[in-house]
Amino acid sequence: MGHTATAEAGSGGLTATEHRLANGLRVVLSEDHLTPVAAVCLWYDVGSRHEVKGRTGLAHLFEHLMFQGSKQVHGNGHFELVQGAGGSLNGTTSFERTNYFETMPAHQLELALWLEADRMGSLLSALDEESMENQRDVVKNERRQRYDNVPYGTAFEKLTALSYPEGHPYHHTPIGSMADLDAATLEDAREFFRTYYAPNNAVLSVVGDIDPEQTLAWVEKYFGSIPSHDGKQPPRDGSLPERIGKELREVVEEDVPARALMAAYRLPEDGTRACDAADLALTVLGSGDSSRLYNRLVRRDRTAVAAGFGLLRLAGAPSLGWLDVKTSGDVEVPVIEAAVDEELARFAAEGPTPEEMERAQAQLEREWLDRLGTVAGRADELCRYAVLFGDPQLALTAVQRVLDVTAEEVQEVAKARLRPDNRAVLVYEPVSTDAEAAEDAENAENAEAAAETAEEEEAAK
């Protein structure tokens, strides 16, 4: 079954057609003959929000296992075949989905579709203890390199845990804990695959220099015989009150290069007009060198070396407004925090100026058009709107929805949400390493010795 392509109002002339196989796989196609390339994107409706306590990190671990080989493609073959054909590929995991994607020369599209279908339909035949242990170690090393052993690396994990209460499906991040990664068994992984890696739990988008009829024939040929699976449970409810109700705060003493103030504000869910308004508010306040916080903290006061405020859009739970400020020199965090609160209060009272609204909307419009203008970006957005909101066509009109938001709506969401009783705060305070402490002690001893020598010389005169 299919849906005829028509250019929706505000879509910039972009079109997409929707189809569904008998096994439940949703397929979205979008022709674009500007360049001879094609993007394949496959979203599975599974992320860390689907995990249970004691087995966090399984969604991300499985992202890695999907590149470990399948029935027809062994070991690193997926990478070798795609890259050998002149394409690129990767996969990512978030709270709400796991995705896999390839960008190929158009004449190699069939190869990418065959590869994705082979691992969707036959990964279990290649999944064994050796591949499980191999990728478990890879994920644990990724955690060390990106979270545990880098400055501010655990900030995202800590703020997420503060922002969402214990037991909430978004309380933990997709990377998972070391203990849970160690505890995951081969049978856990197999059951996870059977439950979530089914065609009726996925959306496949193909965008670029394609022949839709031929593409659908390939999709039916390679994916059509994969059986569906009905064992998936819906994710736990992620709804929360509009405001946290009080400020939550944690001080972290670590070996970091500078003091830092980070905060997460509870904001409207993705897919709503209020979320678009919040995005505009944060763009005015903290996106780029022309933003209010950058001008105040970095340029005028010179109390910070970096200041940003961005939006983490979430569909199944409140989104988060992410504030990140690194202090300058010996400036204390309370100085920064007072200035931030002053700017947020002023913005809530006055709202954005017409010039700020125009600039912010132009910035978000450019970002959206950059995404939709590439075959890979458009494929990803079509999957996102199909999986999270049920309608891939919404991706093609997202720009217009941002442009329709008014300054009054931006001021309203800032006044209601960007306030001290609606945030989780993380304060980083640097501590000296053993080497630095030894150097400081040596410098102190040298200074003391120099002072004693000076006193002796003065007494001898």
Side-chain angles (χ1 to χ4, degrees):
M1 54 186 290
H3 173 272
T4 304
T6 54
E8 306 242 356
S11 69
L14 300 177
T15 61
T17 60
E18 304 167 50
H19 314 267
R20 189 182 292 269
L21 303 191
N23 59 9
L25 178 68
R26 289 177 289 173
V27 183
V28 185
L29 306 180
S30 180
E31 289 185 78
D32 185 341
H33 302 289
L34 187 62
T35 55
V37 295
V40 173
C41 186
L42 188 60
W43 271 44
Y44 290 94
D45 187 8
V46 57
S48 59
R49 67 171 174 166
H50 295 85
E51 297 166 350
V52 297
K53 187 174 183 179
R55 288 297 183 268
T56 65
L58 263 178
H60 180 234
L61 175 60
F62 221 95
E63 173 211 319
H64 286 256
L65 288 171
M66 286 285 277
F67 289 101
Q68 191 66 20
S70 50
K71 184 175 182 179
Q72 311 284 348
V73 183
H74 302 293
N76 204 41
H78 198 114
F79 281 96
E80 293 169 357
L81 287 168
V82 171
Q83 293 171 344
S88 60
L89 72 163
N90 213 332
T92 66
T93 311
S94 77
F95 291 101
E96 301 179 325
R97 60 98 184 101
T98 308
N99 69 336
Y100 304 89
F101 46 93
E102 297 89 4
T103 300
M104 307 287 284
H107 68 282
Q108 296 285 3
L109 171 60
E110 185 180 7
L111 172 63
L113 293 172
W114 174 75
L115 285 167
E116 288 295 357
D118 189 60
R119 60 183 174 183
M120 178 190 282
S122 70
L123 186 91
L124 280 184
S125 64
L127 184 58
D128 55 21
E129 289 287 359
E130 182 181 356
S131 59
M132 181 78 172
E133 290 308 312
N134 179 294
Q135 292 307 307
R136 190 202 310 269
D137 288 342
V138 169
V139 172
K140 288 169 68 175
N141 279 330
E142 181 181 339
R143 180 182 170 89
R144 294 184 189 103
Q145 292 169 2
R146 295 177 53 191
Y147 286 74
D148 298 335
N149 298 334
V150 295
Y152 317 108
T154 57
F156 182 56
E157 197 169 43
K158 291 179 183 298
L159 271 181
T160 300
L162 277 176
S163 302
Y164 302 108
E166 183 75 36
H168 190 274
Y170 293 68
H171 179 74
H172 70 277
T173 56
I175 194 67
S177 71
M178 284 293 196
D180 287 358
L181 288 170
D182 284 333
T185 67
L186 180 60
E187 186 50 42
D188 288 334
R190 286 174 172 164
E191 183 60 29
F192 194 87
F193 179 85
R194 284 190 288 263
T195 301
Y196 295 109
Y197 280 76
N200 55 316
N201 194 47
V203 172
L204 171 70
S205 68
V206 186
V207 177
D209 188 16
I210 64 173
D211 176 334
E213 186 175 342
Q214 176 63 77
T215 302
L216 275 177
W218 284 331
V219 171
E220 181 64 54
K221 176 181 179 180
Y222 297 121
F223 289 89
S225 61
I226 302 173
S228 60
H229 188 278
D230 297 326
K232 175 189 171 184
Q233 297 296 315
R236 289 168 291 143
D237 182 20
S239 61
L240 290 169
E242 287 190 357
R243 286 194 290 273
I244 297 173
K246 63 180 180 180
E247 182 182 86
L248 305 172
R249 180 177 293 261
E250 182 177 339
V251 177
V252 182
E253 296 182 348
E254 283 186 4
D255 180 20
V256 292
R259 293 186 178 94
L261 170 68
M262 301 184 190
Y265 292 78
R266 188 178 290 178
L267 294 175
E269 290 84 354
D270 193 13
T272 64
R273 191 177 175 101
C275 188
D276 289 334
D279 204 354
L280 286 164
L282 301 191
T283 301
V284 172
L285 286 164
S287 180
D289 295 355
S290 63
S291 66
R292 289 196 182 193
L293 291 177
Y294 190 92
N295 275 320
R296 169 70 184 272
L297 300 172
V298 180
R299 284 183 169 158
R300 196 192 88 180
D301 296 352
R302 298 187 178 181
T303 53
V305 295
F309 209 177
L311 179 65
L312 174 63
R313 287 177 175 263
L314 296 170
S319 302
L320 293 181
W322 208 268
L323 175 73
D324 187 351
V325 183
K326 305 296 192 308
T327 66
S328 175
D330 293 329
V331 174
E332 301 281 347
V333 168
V335 174
I336 295 286
E337 194 166 3
V340 168
D341 286 343
E342 184 180 314
E343 289 300 320
L344 296 188
R346 184 165 67 89
F347 187 78
E350 301 172 359
T353 67
E355 293 77 17
E356 286 175 327
M357 274 294 290
E358 182 179 4
R359 186 166 59 245
Q361 286 178 315
Q363 183 174 332
L364 294 184
E365 180 182 22
R366 186 204 69 224
E367 291 172 2
W368 264 108
L369 294 178
D370 283 348
R371 289 282 291 160
L372 296 178
T374 67
V375 293
R378 194 186 319 161
D380 191 54
E381 292 299 338
L382 289 170
C383 278
R384 181 166 81 93
Y385 277 94
V387 169
L388 299 181
F389 307 109
D391 185 3
Q393 306 292 339
L394 290 171
L396 307 182
T397 55
V399 172
Q400 190 57 52
R401 291 195 295 278
V402 171
L403 298 179
D404 287 343
V405 175
T406 66
E408 289 74 23
E409 290 173 296
V410 172
Q411 180 182 3
E412 180 182 351
V413 75
K415 186 175 182 179
R417 303 296 190 100
L418 300 181
R419 36 193 285 174
D421 66 350
N422 187 40
R423 69 185 177 198
V425 176
L426 209 58
V427 175
Y428 275 89
E429 289 289 345
V431 295
S432 297
T433 62
D434 292 342
E436 289 171 339
E439 184 179 349
D440 291 342
E442 183 179 347
N443 290 338
E445 289 175 4
N446 291 340
E448 184 177 348
E452 290 175 356
T453 300
E455 289 176 4
E456 291 170 358
E457 289 175 351
E458 184 64 29
K461 286 182 181 179

